[in-house]
Amino acid sequence: MRGTRSGQDNLYHDGPVPAADKAAVTGDSGLTSPGTAKSLTDLSGYVPSANSPVIAAGIDIANDGGRDAAGTALPSGMPDLGGLQRSAGPGRDEAAPTATTTFGNGQSTSPAALTDGSDYTSWASPSTGVTYPGTITLTFPSRRTVSEVVLATHFGQGQGITKADVQTWDGSSWVTRAADAQITWTGNTATVECRSLRLPSAVATTGVRLVVKAANHTWGNLSVNEITTR
């Protein structure tokens, strides 16, 4: 789990998957040799095997120190889900992605809230003059592989995005990977909901853009709390 999020981005094995976890990973964890550790310095048995569902299923956390629990340098892009990485990478301690939008900003909000690591700070558009389509763009500090985009929103039935294209940057232009993705929010309270927009296949990219085509407008604005990728 990340930040204040509860029951989100977890692995579930032989048990129910909470409905609130829209980015759940399921199946056997596929650890190399669980149960063999004899001390905190002997964790090799808990490294995921090559066919584990947790491979590259973690989420990127800004300023994470670049190391896992055993000191292994983290890979570029999405890490393995859990405390230990199967393969070492460059161990970059990267800043958060940069977020921008064509919608403009509502009072006292900024797109920086979309990538600040908290599901409980939010960006909102102005409450009047919103037109579609509009874009929300994330630019990554380095190239990474993206297979899904996860939106966290509260009061989703009042201000959540309901239809969007998902695009990635190929170095010279934006390429649509998922068109007219439909998003349904079940609540209209301060409880944060998450919805995952999956790409047909994983893409290595330095940027992701949502082309927002529709949203709920109970108060005139649309809003998103956090956008993450996996």
Side-chain angles (χ1 to χ4, degrees):
M1 293 185 286
R2 180 173 60 81
T4 54
R5 181 181 292 177
S6 177
Q8 184 68 32
D9 302 302
N10 290 315
L11 171 74
Y12 301 90
H13 179 204
D14 290 341
V17 177
D21 194 342
K22 300 301 181 182
V25 177
T26 59
D28 190 308
S29 59
L31 302 181
T32 304
S33 185
T36 59
K38 300 185 184 300
S39 71
L40 290 177
T41 59
D42 176 28
L43 300 176
S44 59
Y46 293 88
V47 172
S49 60
N51 61 350
S52 170
V54 307
I55 298 295
I59 57 175
D60 187 47
I61 300 175
N63 304 311
D64 55 15
R67 303 277 170 173
D68 71 3
T72 300
L74 298 181
S76 297
M78 298 302 99
D80 301 338
L81 181 62
L84 299 174
Q85 300 297 298
R86 176 172 174 79
S87 301
R92 296 191 185 98
D93 186 9
E94 295 185 328
T98 300
T100 58
T101 179
T102 61
F103 284 110
N105 305 315
Q107 185 176 8
S108 301
T109 73
S110 165
L114 298 172
T115 59
D116 67 356
S118 172
D119 289 350
Y120 291 89
T121 56
S122 61
W123 162 84
S125 73
S127 58
T128 59
V130 175
T131 59
Y132 298 100
T135 63
I136 300 172
T137 304
L138 268 57
T139 303
F140 307 126
S142 63
R143 190 175 180 85
R144 67 182 58 181
T145 299
V146 176
S147 58
E148 61 184 297
V149 178
V150 181
L151 306 183
T153 300
H154 64 345
F155 297 99
Q157 290 184 339
Q159 57 189 1
I161 295 170
T162 57
K163 185 168 72 171
D165 293 347
V166 181
Q167 300 181 332
T168 60
W169 180 251
D170 71 356
S172 59
S173 62
W174 290 102
V175 180
T176 299
R177 306 295 181 178
D180 294 332
Q182 303 292 319
I183 307 167
T184 301
W185 305 98
T186 60
N188 202 27
T189 71
T191 299
V192 175
E193 295 182 75
C194 293
R195 295 292 182 266
S196 179
L197 305 178
R198 296 182 182 273
L199 280 59
S201 59
V203 178
T205 184
T206 57
V208 166
R209 183 167 73 176
L210 297 180
V211 181
V212 181
K213 297 181 173 180
N216 294 323
H217 281 284
T218 298
W219 305 288
N221 65 278
L222 66 143
S223 180
V224 185
N225 292 34
E226 191 79 1
I227 303 177
T228 53
T229 61
R230 298 175 74 173

